[in-house]
Amino acid sequence: MVDDFLLRALAAGAGVALIAGPLGAFVVWRRMAYFGDTIAHAALLGVALSLLIEIDLTLGVFVAAALTSVLLLVLERRRALPTDALLGILAHSTLAIGLVIVALMEGVRVDLLSYLFGDILAVGARDLWLIWIGGAVVLALLAWIWRPLLAATVSEELAEAEGLKPQRARLLFMLAMALTIAIAMKIVGILLITSLLIIPAAAARRFAATPEAMAALASLIGVAAVAAGLSGSWFWDTPSGPSIVVAALLGFLISFVAVRRRTA
């Protein structure tokens, strides 16, 4: 008989994977992998601020990630530095500031490993509600901006000419990413969440014929990776978050080999 905590972990991981699939598709199409890392690093600053001012952890992470996204857009418009340089500055600065704040809080013990690499086996009923309700919000938002975001991925000038407001769509996409990272942090952790966004989408890209098919297939691959990673973690006593990412990597390698054989 399967233990309840394993079922909760599987339900939580599946919920995150379903959100990460379509988001990850846009991350791959728009070459925003480094942006995902930047927002994930900003999550640790959100953790530190949540502990410092005693607010809900998920809310603090979302606010920090969202503010980092808005700051990036503002700095991009000023064109003082290339986008990759801005991302590097924001990623490492927010991570370092978060670590310094945590170190300065006397009398507060923080398990950084659980934030960095996740602790999916500790997911409770409240976390499940948060993941699935938050995930529904993210998917609804993504469905609303799907057409302008897809058009802007092909040509931002054309999307602007058609009146699709690509800049607004991009901002909303960034906020959806921030919310996803906030609710997924407990699953695979700050350092590994970008992997769950990128790897299933990269594997799905080799098989899908349409953008919608790629988004759906990426979600399915992510769910399979969660199930395989949890199984491997249970049988071999390995960390659950990294095990999920390793399972996703194996899925990508299998897709890579399968496509090469089919082409040959």
Side-chain angles (χ1 to χ4, degrees), residues 8-259:
R8 287 195 300 269
L10 180 60
V16 171
L18 291 174
I19 312 166
L23 283 176
F26 277 107
V27 170
V28 171
W29 292 330
R30 298 173 69 93
R31 300 180 181 180
M32 295 178 67
Y34 203 7
F35 169 75
D37 275 333
T38 301
I39 300 303
H41 288 172
L44 185 59
L45 176 59
V47 171
L49 293 176
S50 299
L51 296 173
L52 184 65
I53 61 179
E54 298 181 352
I55 62 173
D56 181 76
L57 191 65
T58 303
L59 175 62
V61 171
F62 172 70
V63 169
L67 289 178
T68 303
S69 301
V70 173
L71 179 59
L72 174 63
L73 286 177
V74 172
L75 293 175
E76 277 184 335
R77 289 182 179 179
R78 294 191 175 185
R79 298 180 181 177
L81 287 172
T83 299
D84 59 341
L86 291 173
L87 288 171
I89 292 171
L90 289 174
H92 300 299
S93 299
T94 52
L95 181 64
I97 293 171
L99 290 172
V100 168
I101 292 176
V102 169
L104 291 176
M105 287 189 296
E106 298 181 358
V108 178
R109 298 187 63 183
V110 180
D111 183 10
L112 286 178
L113 287 180
S114 66
Y115 294 122
L116 295 176
F117 299 105
D119 189 9
I120 191 173
L121 298 180
V123 167
R126 178 184 177 275
D127 299 311
L128 278 179
W129 280 107
L130 181 64
I131 289 167
W132 283 92
I133 293 176
V137 172
V138 170
L139 292 178
L141 179 60
L142 194 59
W144 181 43
I145 63 173
W146 182 272
R147 183 168 175 263
L149 197 59
L150 191 60
T153 301
V154 177
S155 172
E156 190 159 331
E157 292 79 10
L158 183 59
E160 190 73 44
E162 292 181 358
L164 296 176
K165 299 181 180 179
Q167 288 299 322
R168 183 184 67 179
R170 188 183 181 206
L171 174 60
L172 292 175
F173 174 74
M174 289 181 169
L175 294 178
M177 285 274 290
L179 179 57
T180 301
I181 288 172
I183 63 179
M185 181 181 62
K186 197 167 186 177
I187 307 301
V188 291
I190 293 168
L191 298 183
L192 301 178
I193 181 58
T194 313
S195 302
L196 200 58
L197 285 166
I198 297 173
I199 298 176
R205 188 176 189 178
R206 311 184 71 85
F207 296 101
T210 65
E212 292 78 12
M214 178 175 164
L217 186 56
S219 294
L220 293 177
I221 292 173
V223 171
V226 168
L230 285 174
S231 299
S233 175
W234 176 260
F235 285 112
W236 291 300
D237 194 24
T238 55
S240 53
S243 297
I244 292 172
V245 176
V246 170
L249 175 61
L250 290 176
F252 171 77
L253 294 176
I254 291 171
S255 72
F256 187 80
V257 172
V259 169

